Every structure is written in C-alpha cells, then in structure tokens.
Amino acid sequence: MRVPSYYYRASVILLTTGFSGLASAAVSTGAAVMPSRPVVADPINAGSVMQLLAGLILVVALILLLGWLVKRYSGLPGQNRALRVVATLPLSTRERLVLVQAGEQQLLLGVTPGQVSLLKSYDQPLIEPGAAMVDFASRLQQAMSRKGAE
C-alpha cells in the first residue's frame, strides 16, 4: 500500500512550522498550505514623522517653559535681592565696568577675564536702579571729572 504524496507534504509542513494551527488545519483538510508571510506596515510614514515632530516640539517647549519659570520665580539659595547689577559699560571685548548696588552703596567694579577690581565706592547712588545704560556712561564721566577737579 502506497502513502499518498499529500500526507508526506502535510507532515513536512507540520514539522517545519512547529505544529502551528495553520499546519494542523492543513493536515486535517488534507491540503498542503504554504505559510504566508505577515504583512508589515512601513515604519516611516507621514503620520509617524508628524508624531515625532510634535513630541520633539512639546519637549523643547517644556524645557524653555521650565527655564523661564526657574529664572522668574527662583527661590534658590544664594540669590540676594539687595545685591544687583545696575549698569554695565563695555570697554573692550573682554573688559567692562560694572556698577553694582550693594545695600545702600553702589560699587564701581572693573571686570576682566582674570579678575574683578573695586574702582570706587559711592555712598550716594550714582545711578538710580533701573535707569538707562546711556545715562550710566554720561554720569560716570561726570563723576570721574568731579574726582579730577577735587
């Protein structure tokens, strides 16, 4: 007695597919069914790119918002409201004069990349805090000329 060839094909399919339901169905029907390949969607399409860009924009916006909030409402230790920069005058690309309000005094500092030097201390405000920087240059010139006249 000879075994039909479709039984042979069905047993090979059963062994190669690991006894999957597809091979079991093929043996029960007696037909040899070739396993089909799964359909894979394209991973890069317009929808996924838009989703990626939207997420990126959201993360960057969140970082900027948190930076602004920390700068605006910083209750961090080491920040003193009584000490602040009133005005700055650049002298060159690396040197500048800085007028600092320290309590009731104003300090004129020379700032270079290597050091900070106290040039003059003023008991009376040279510039009211919040004044324009243009006034700083003219008032500094007046103060220096008064010092030279003394």
Side-chain angles (χ1 to χ4, degrees), residues 91 111 128 130 144:
L91 300 175
V111 179
E128 292 301 321
M144 293 301 198

Side-chain angles (χ1 to χ4, degrees), residues 46-127:
S48 64
V49 171
M50 291 303 291
Q51 186 178 8
L52 176 74
L53 288 176
L56 181 64
I57 289 170
L58 181 70
V59 168
V60 169
L62 184 65
I63 290 171
L64 292 175
L65 176 69
L66 288 175
W68 178 79
L69 285 174
V70 166
K71 186 177 178 182
R72 176 88 173 151
Y73 301 107
S74 63
L76 299 175
Q79 290 187 347
N80 191 350
R81 299 287 182 198
L83 185 65
R84 62 186 167 148
V85 175
V86 176
T88 303
L89 179 67
L91 300 175
S92 70
T93 57
R94 303 184 78 179
E95 293 88 19
R96 63 184 185 268
L97 291 175
V98 179
L99 187 64
V100 176
Q101 182 76 37
E104 296 296 319
Q105 276 190 326
Q106 287 188 345
L107 307 171
L108 182 62
L109 305 174
V111 179
T112 64
Q115 74 183 51
V116 177
S117 303
L118 175 65
L119 301 177
K120 178 91 171 148
S121 175
Y122 298 99
D123 292 328
Q124 298 293 332
L126 183 62
I127 298 175

